[in-house]
Amino acid sequence: MNDRIFLGIVPNFNFRFAIADITSPAIEASKIHELEPEMSVFLSKTMLGALFLAELTKDKQRVSIQWKDDSKKSVLAYSDRFGRMKAVAYPGELNYDDIRNQFILGLGILKVIRWEEDSNFYQSFTNLIEDTFEANFIKYIEESEQIRTFVFMDVQLQDPLKRVKGIMFQALPEATESHIASLEQKLQRSLQTERFWNLEHTEMLKELTMLLEDDLQILSEEKTVLQCDCSRHKVMDIIVSLGSKEASSILDSEGKIEITCEFCKVAYQFDHSDIEKIF
């Protein structure tokens, strides 16, 4: 697979960009959570959004995007700038013919959390509007960071998903209104075509070079993967937080304590001997 993310600069326009292919991680996450096509789209785009935010921030910062709308459908996705992602999705409660099933978010909240290394996290949010994920994602960025941003995402919905790709452009401080208008015109004309998204990522970069008539500067390249960071040790911390009395009560009634990771569905089991060692 060609799952990659590239970070670069468009010098003549004073923009930075990230171009990502997360087809395999998105397919794998959708299968783990047994999602219908519509929720697979929401999950895939949220994963792309978290990856873009992580890629365009500090090296060791980790980012999560979480949203939930008034239909009670929700997605939570994490990423770091090295392309390591995890995600979970929960379908909502909509009638079969509700338009919000068709890739439109309802009203609700989109929240972004960022973790600095050896520091506290900080969070920001925006109110969802009834529109696509991309529209809400751009709304969040322009409200929270006041940076002119263009985002294009393509999720091909066939069984299985054939491609999950995206491109994000952000203006640098030196970008003028002329740069912004010119770039937007070129992107809107060419990035809406099926042919472009069918290209391999190296060909997409060549296409952008010709489209923008500029020598794109690639600053980094990472492989994108679905990689849960759960572990038996982390689950033990959860059991410790329950306390000895509560853990013993569960053991007495169930014969074991089993905790399943909501992201990767791995089940961790602990028996009486394990609990004695923990406490």
Side-chain angles (χ1 to χ4, degrees), residues 2-274:
N2 295 309
D3 306 292
R4 293 285 189 278
I5 180 161
F6 296 86
L7 175 65
I9 294 175
V10 190
N12 289 344
F13 288 86
N14 292 309
F15 265 73
R16 59 181 179 174
F17 73 92
I19 177 169
D21 182 339
I22 64 165
T23 303
S24 295
I27 290 173
E28 187 178 352
S30 296
K31 287 182 177 179
I32 288 173
H33 301 297
E34 300 178 338
L35 299 179
E36 295 295 329
E38 290 79 7
M39 283 306 296
S40 294
V41 170
F42 289 130
L43 178 76
S44 300
K45 291 185 174 184
T46 309
M47 291 172 68
L48 277 169
L51 178 61
F52 284 151
L53 290 182
E55 187 68 18
L56 294 172
T57 53
K58 297 179 182 178
D59 281 3
K60 296 184 179 180
Q61 192 176 81
R62 191 179 181 210
V63 174
S64 74
I65 294 179
Q66 181 178 21
W67 59 263
K68 183 175 183 179
D69 70 9
D70 53 359
S71 73
K72 297 186 179 179
K73 66 178 182 287
S74 64
V75 176
L76 171 61
Y78 289 80
S79 182
D80 62 18
R81 73 164 299 270
F82 303 106
R84 296 173 294 206
M85 295 174 286
K86 65 178 183 178
V88 61
Y90 301 98
E93 301 172 357
L94 294 173
N95 295 326
Y96 178 78
D97 59 349
D98 194 307
I99 190 174
R100 288 172 297 173
N101 283 314
Q102 302 301 315
F103 321 131
I104 299 295
L105 302 186
L107 302 178
I109 293 291
L110 184 151
K111 179 170 65 176
V112 174
I113 301 178
R114 304 169 190 262
W115 290 264
E116 299 281 1
E117 186 179 34
D118 300 324
S119 179
N120 293 329
F121 68 86
Y122 61 96
Q123 63 182 3
S124 52
F125 69 91
T126 187
N127 292 317
L128 293 175
I129 56 176
E130 290 189 319
D131 208 325
T132 62
F133 175 83
E134 295 95 313
N136 281 282
F137 183 60
I138 292 172
K139 176 176 178 287
Y140 162 76
I141 293 173
E142 295 190 344
E143 286 180 356
S144 64
E145 301 179 13
Q146 289 83 49
I147 299 176
R148 191 62 186 275
T149 302
F150 303 116
V151 175
F152 302 86
M153 296 181 178
D154 183 82
V155 179
Q156 180 62 35
L157 269 182
Q158 294 187 12
D159 191 16
L161 292 174
K162 284 193 171 181
R163 64 175 182 261
V164 179
K165 299 179 180 180
I167 299 178
M168 176 169 162
F169 289 85
Q170 281 195 325
L172 296 170
E174 299 79 11
T176 65
E177 287 301 320
S178 176
H179 289 141
I180 294 170
S182 178
L183 182 72
E184 181 177 22
Q185 183 180 35
K186 290 177 179 293
L187 295 177
Q188 293 290 355
R189 184 172 64 244
S190 299
L191 267 60
Q192 305 288 359
T193 65
E194 186 83 2
R195 186 192 69 82
F196 177 80
W197 296 106
N198 277 326
L199 297 172
E200 296 293 329
H201 55 73
T202 53
E203 295 301 316
M204 293 173 76
L205 288 168
K206 290 179 182 178
E207 184 86 358
L208 285 173
T209 297
M210 291 187 292
L211 169 68
L212 301 176
E213 299 176 340
D214 199 355
D215 292 326
L216 305 185
Q217 296 180 9
I218 304 301
L219 303 178
S220 66
E221 174 187 353
E222 304 289 346
K223 181 174 176 58
T224 59
V225 295
L226 190 71
Q227 182 176 308
C228 188
D229 57 353
C230 70
S231 67
R232 189 172 179 84
H233 179 75
K234 288 184 177 180
V235 175
M236 286 169 60
D237 289 340
I238 296 174
I239 294 175
V240 169
S241 69
L242 293 175
S244 176
K245 184 176 180 180
E246 180 65 19
S248 296
S249 175
I250 296 172
L251 280 173
D252 291 340
S253 61
E254 303 294 334
K256 63 180 179 182
I257 294 178
E258 180 175 293
I259 298 178
T260 300
C261 174
E262 67 174 329
F263 293 96
C264 66
K265 300 300 184 184
V266 171
Y268 295 90
Q269 295 184 354
F270 299 84
D271 58 20
H272 284 82
S273 177
D274 296 321

